[in-house]
Amino acid sequence: AKSSKRAALESAVTLMAALPGEVACADCSEELRWCVLTGLKRLKQDLNGSTAGAGYTSPAPTSPASEAIFAVQVLQLLVRAIRRYQAWVEDEL
């Protein structure tokens, strides 16, 4: 279940990153918000898990390259939202 949720998030982030900024911020603003906030949460969990040592088990093994791509895509979406003055960025972060 966790690995399918992780895959769904990664897929949604990839699709949002592929959209033009205008479309992502105007027509898909709620989806953009969800992808950014959930993506940042997962990045934080992954970072805490990699430094916490014992007690953390990754829900699915991923390659360092795919983790890096995911992180860059989440940040790309965040930058798009900031540049388009999305109100939720200031409210949520």
Side-chain angles (χ1 to χ4, degrees):
K2 286 186 179 185
S3 62
S4 61
K5 288 180 181 182
R6 182 183 194 106
L9 174 61
E10 289 175 358
S11 296
V13 167
T14 299
L15 290 172
M16 287 299 286
L19 290 175
E22 307 83 43
V23 174
C25 291
D27 298 338
C28 305
S29 62
E30 280 303 309
E31 292 83 357
L32 175 66
R33 178 181 172 273
W34 182 84
C35 285
V36 169
L37 295 176
T38 307
L40 288 172
K41 180 181 175 183
R42 198 196 96 195
L43 290 174
K44 180 182 174 188
Q45 290 171 341
D46 288 351
L47 181 62
N48 289 340
S50 66
T51 59
Y56 176 81
T57 55
S58 179
T62 57
S63 71
S66 66
E67 290 177 8
I69 291 168
F70 176 76
V72 169
Q73 288 175 331
V74 170
L75 294 176
Q76 175 187 4
L77 295 177
L78 177 59
V79 169
R80 282 184 182 177
I82 291 169
R83 292 176 81 190
R84 301 265 178 203
Y85 303 105
Q86 298 288 308
W88 60 263
V89 174
E90 195 170 323
D91 296 341
E92 299 285 342
L93 300 177

